[in-house]
Amino acid sequence: MKILIPTAKEMNLSLKPHGKCFLSEQTKIIVASLSQYSIEELADFYHISLERAEEEYIHLQQLKNGQALTYPALHLFDGLMYRNIKRSHLTEQELRYVDKHLFITSSLYGVIPVMALISPHRLDFLVKCTISGKSLKNYWRNDYDAAISDEEMILSLLSSEFETVFSKSVRDKMLRFKFLEDREGSLKVHSTISKKARGQFLTALIENQITTKEEIKQLQFAGFAFREDLSTINTYVFVKE
């Protein structure tokens, strides 16, 4: 079983670094392409201020030169979902579960274990980027498919921008999740609920060492419970009363 989660734009840069960065050949090609951009070009490319573009320029040059410092991905990314995942004071059993089952889909690094050491960066799949004559999604597709091709059970907590990197045959195997809130009999969903719930759901998976679909259905966490009547074979719905 593999659990797939996306990256986040927010990053915690106050962490203690873990040394220099190792890059795969695929990542080196992306870095070589992006590192040719000037600060002004990066500002236009990412639609960000010159100040932030300068920070990204420095990060890219450090990556290119092998001088970029690294941080565990699970702790570096610090979006709302990540802040709701149990990331500290994990037991040995919980750490083994995380190492075995939890993976991040990155536009710069590929499909990586959540504790992989990576460097700060802004790249994501919404950016229009051509690498070796291919879109970023097409560039990564074979590697993404290969990373989970042998898995019988794939839990996806990805948005469409990340899911569509995988080929359709792989996407068809994924089990997806929806998190709704019951407000006076009306079921509501919005990004804040979903992002927090994903993190809380992951925490429940980790703490309860969940490995089967039946165990998932029995989970109750942060006020959420499984709703069989709203779920399908490929999409499980959890509702918070």
Side-chain angles (χ1 to χ4, degrees):
M1 180 185 80
K2 282 187 177 177
I3 308 162
L4 303 177
I5 62 175
T7 55
K9 290 184 179 180
E10 299 94 335
M11 296 192 181
N12 181 2
L13 301 180
S14 65
L15 299 169
K16 181 180 178 181
H18 284 241
K20 303 296 172 56
C21 190
F22 169 80
L23 303 180
S24 69
E25 290 304 314
Q26 297 95 319
T27 299
K28 286 179 182 178
I29 291 171
I30 297 174
V31 170
S33 177
L34 295 181
S35 63
Q36 296 178 33
Y37 284 74
S38 67
I39 293 172
E40 291 75 13
E41 287 171 331
L42 285 172
D44 183 60
F45 184 65
Y46 285 113
H47 305 291
I48 55 177
S49 67
L50 286 173
E51 182 180 3
R52 291 189 175 183
E54 184 177 6
E55 293 173 356
E56 182 68 1
Y57 179 84
I58 292 170
H59 284 151
L60 288 168
Q61 298 308 312
Q62 290 173 337
L63 280 167
K64 180 182 177 182
N65 297 327
Q67 299 300 309
L69 297 177
T70 62
Y71 310 82
L74 183 63
H75 299 282
L76 177 62
F77 294 120
D78 209 36
L80 187 55
M81 180 191 72
Y82 281 86
R83 296 197 300 272
N84 280 274
I85 301 172
K86 183 177 182 180
R87 296 187 286 179
S88 59
H89 307 297
L90 294 168
T91 66
E92 288 187 14
Q93 189 178 31
E94 289 169 342
L95 278 171
R96 285 195 297 270
Y97 183 93
V98 165
D99 288 336
K100 183 177 181 179
H101 298 295
L102 194 53
F103 291 79
I104 294 173
T105 55
S106 166
S107 57
L108 182 61
Y109 291 94
V111 181
I112 57 174
V114 291
M115 291 301 185
L117 298 177
I118 66 171
S119 295
H121 59 279
R122 296 191 68 89
L123 188 66
D124 63 37
F125 287 110
L126 292 177
V127 174
K128 292 183 179 179
C129 181
T130 301
I131 305 295
S132 300
K134 299 179 179 179
S135 70
L136 201 52
K137 289 185 178 182
N138 285 331
Y139 177 80
W140 278 118
R141 181 155 291 132
N142 288 340
D143 291 273
Y144 263 54
D145 286 353
I148 61 171
S149 61
D150 296 331
E151 294 296 324
E152 292 294 324
M153 188 170 166
I154 305 166
L155 309 187
S156 172
L157 292 167
L158 305 174
S159 60
S160 60
E161 68 176 281
F162 287 95
E163 263 196 17
T164 53
V165 183
F166 295 96
S167 62
K168 184 179 184 302
S169 61
V170 174
R171 296 199 306 271
D172 287 345
K173 295 167 58 178
M174 292 179 176
L175 177 60
R176 300 170 180 84
F177 302 89
K178 287 184 178 179
F179 304 99
L180 311 177
E181 195 170 61
D182 189 337
R183 296 183 179 176
E184 299 179 351
S186 179
L187 297 179
K188 303 289 185 181
V189 61
H190 55 73
S191 61
T192 299
I193 290 175
S194 295
K195 289 176 181 178
K196 289 179 66 175
R198 286 174 190 167
Q200 293 162 342
F201 175 65
L202 281 168
T203 297
L205 294 179
I206 294 166
E207 290 180 339
N208 293 281
Q209 303 285 292
I210 300 300
T211 58
T212 70
K213 292 180 180 180
E214 285 307 311
E215 289 175 330
I216 293 173
K217 292 178 181 180
Q218 300 304 315
L219 276 181
Q220 295 188 22
F221 60 94
F224 284 93
F226 177 71
R227 284 282 298 270
E228 184 85 52
D229 59 316
L230 300 175
S231 301
T232 66
I233 294 174
N234 295 321
T235 303
Y236 285 5
V237 176
F238 286 82
V239 176
K240 184 174 185 177
E241 299 295 338

